Amino acid sequence: MLKGLLLVLSLTSAGQGRLMDYYNGIIKTSPTEARTIVDEALADHKDGYHREIALLMSGYLHKKAGDPVKAFVDYDACYRGLSSLDTTDYYLEVSVRKNIGALLDNFKEYDQALKIYKEAVGFAKKYDRKELASLYANMGNSYRDLRDAENLLKYYTMSIKLSESVDDYYKTAQINNRLGLSFYSAKSYGEAEYYFLKSIAFKSKLSGSKLRVIGQAYHNLAHVFGDQGETRKAIDHLEQALTFKNGQDLFVTLLDLGEIYLKIGEPQKAKDYLTQSLEYYPGMASSKSEDHAVYKWLDLAEKELGNFKQAYEYNAKYISAIELHNTNSDLLNEKIVATFAATLIDSHKKGREFEIAKRRLKWVLIVLFVALLPLLILAVLNMRNRKKLNAGLDGIESFIESSLGS
């Protein structure tokens, strides 16, 4: 029996060890193996610190697998569980809030996202300035989507200053790029160009996959020139962007190059770039409708080149992709709304209900006070009258006693 107990304890300890190694980035695993580690941990731990870590990592895996609803459910469960724990794992406290905030942003619940980001800031200040800079950047994103220019600039600037103070060149380049995008959206092309160039200036300080932000800045700067009719500059900057991008990031730049060459009457160059982009096309299940435009532009390019059979095939693929996108979007939105009602609202309404209850109690007390005030006044007057009466009676008694005594 003792051997069996020791075996169970050793297996539990080993399970915890694998989970903690995965959580701390010590081991790199495939998504399938990671899911096994997390599910085993969730089966072994019904509550406590290790369960909250397993829920965080489960949410992360669902997010990577493209299921924001399941990700939100796990993050929300972790968030609730942490509320009853006394832990100094500030990374865990920050991460779960940061991920919930990002999903809330995606669900367009910007006020709720900001609320939870502000909670995370309290933990990040104790933990790490890099995380704090990242949170300020996320808050800037929320204010951007709320069209709050003043707070957008405030939090992006705070993020840049913190990132510079810890030599986080990637984050600094990233936020300058986002500032550029904000000004670009407002059609303030001069300011947009200024911030995109500030982002690009960090290219000598970055390497590897982090250079992707430089590619994004070149890509965005190309749109600044394109919108102002400087087509050749736009093409040059899109081609520059390709040198800093890799993998999936290449898709949108190749797509834009195909579109711009088609618009200036060079269908063969357009076809070449668009055909290249198909290698990185995320597939018909992509949630972004603009991704499927690759088939629309290829349809037009093939028509310009006189390849009508091929054009027809691309047109059919475009129609199928858009129909699938619309169906998936409707289903996902329904699922998100249902889950949102069942989890987010339930998770956060307790605080709101408490505030409402406090306000109601306050008004009940005020109404009671107003209703009882006349009675209180009468009671006070009665007490005063009784005191006067008692004083009079005492005087009479004293007079009688003194009279009898004499």
Side-chain angles (χ1 to χ4, degrees), residues 18 29-43 61:
R18 291 179 74 209
T29 66
S30 67
T32 304
E33 188 180 353
R35 173 49 63 190
T36 301
I37 292 170
V38 167
D39 287 346
E40 286 175 356
L42 287 171
L61 290 171

Side-chain angles (χ1 to χ4, degrees), residues 324-345:
L324 180 62
H325 167 265
N326 291 339
T327 302
N328 286 345
S329 293
D330 290 343
L331 289 172
L332 181 60
N333 286 339
E334 286 175 17
K335 201 173 180 184
I336 285 171
V337 168
T339 306
F340 198 71
T343 57
L344 172 70
I345 292 174

Side-chain angles (χ1 to χ4, degrees), residues 134-367:
S134 181
L135 281 166
Y136 286 150
N138 285 10
M139 291 171 75
N141 294 345
S142 297
Y143 282 118
R144 174 197 64 202
D145 294 331
L146 285 168
R147 303 292 187 268
D148 185 338
E150 183 179 348
N151 277 310
L152 174 155
L153 288 169
K154 173 186 172 182
Y155 282 98
Y156 277 163
T157 302
M158 287 166 69
S159 179
I160 287 173
K161 285 181 179 177
L162 268 175
S163 298
E164 287 175 341
S165 73
V166 293
D167 294 334
D168 188 348
Y169 303 120
Y170 176 71
K171 180 60 69 178
T172 308
Q174 191 180 54
I175 303 307
N176 277 302
N177 183 49
R178 288 183 192 173
L179 273 167
L181 278 171
S182 300
F183 281 108
Y184 172 75
S185 298
K187 300 191 183 302
S188 297
Y189 296 122
E191 288 85 354
E193 182 179 350
Y194 168 77
Y195 282 108
F196 289 141
L197 288 172
K198 277 192 77 173
S199 181
I200 289 166
F202 287 94
K203 64 184 176 184
S204 62
K205 296 183 181 295
L206 300 176
S207 61
S209 62
K210 289 184 176 180
L211 283 167
R212 66 193 293 265
V213 71
I214 305 302
Q216 289 165 357
Y218 270 116
H219 182 112
N220 294 331
L221 187 54
H223 280 275
V224 170
F225 294 127
D227 282 11
Q228 295 177 96
E230 298 184 71
T231 305
R232 180 41 59 186
K233 273 190 174 183
I235 289 172
D236 289 345
H237 282 79
L238 285 171
E239 289 176 342
Q240 280 263 56
L242 291 176
T243 65
F244 292 97
K245 290 186 167 191
N246 56 66
Q248 192 64 42
D249 273 354
L250 290 166
F251 174 73
V252 67
T253 303
L254 291 165
L255 181 63
D256 283 358
L257 277 165
E259 181 184 352
I260 202 168
Y261 272 116
L262 192 60
K263 286 179 178 177
I264 63 173
E266 296 190 41
Q268 185 57 55
K269 276 193 173 181
K271 178 183 173 180
D272 291 343
Y273 278 117
L274 292 166
T275 304
Q276 274 185 265
S277 77
L278 283 177
E279 184 180 344
Y280 308 102
Y281 174 55
M284 286 197 177
S286 172
S287 61
K288 295 179 180 177
S289 60
E290 58 269 26
D291 289 345
H292 309 305
V294 62
Y295 290 126
K296 178 172 73 172
W297 301 128
L298 276 165
D299 167 29
L300 293 174
E302 294 290 8
K303 281 177 182 171
E304 290 287 324
L305 294 167
N307 303 324
F308 297 105
K309 182 177 180 295
Q310 188 64 55
Y312 174 80
E313 289 175 5
Y314 282 131
N315 181 258
K317 286 183 178 180
Y318 176 64
I319 291 169
S320 297
I322 291 299
E323 286 176 350
L324 180 62
H325 167 265
N326 291 339
T327 302
N328 286 345
S329 293
D330 290 343
L331 289 172
L332 181 60
N333 286 339
E334 286 175 17
K335 201 173 180 184
I336 285 171
V337 168
T339 306
F340 198 71
T343 57
L344 172 70
I345 292 174
D346 182 58
S347 176
H348 296 287
K349 75 177 179 181
K350 291 178 182 177
R352 294 198 298 275
E353 286 174 350
F354 181 65
E355 290 300 319
I356 291 167
K358 279 201 304 184
R359 286 197 294 270
R360 284 177 179 166
L361 180 60
K362 177 182 173 183
W363 282 109
V364 167
L365 291 173
I366 289 170
V367 169

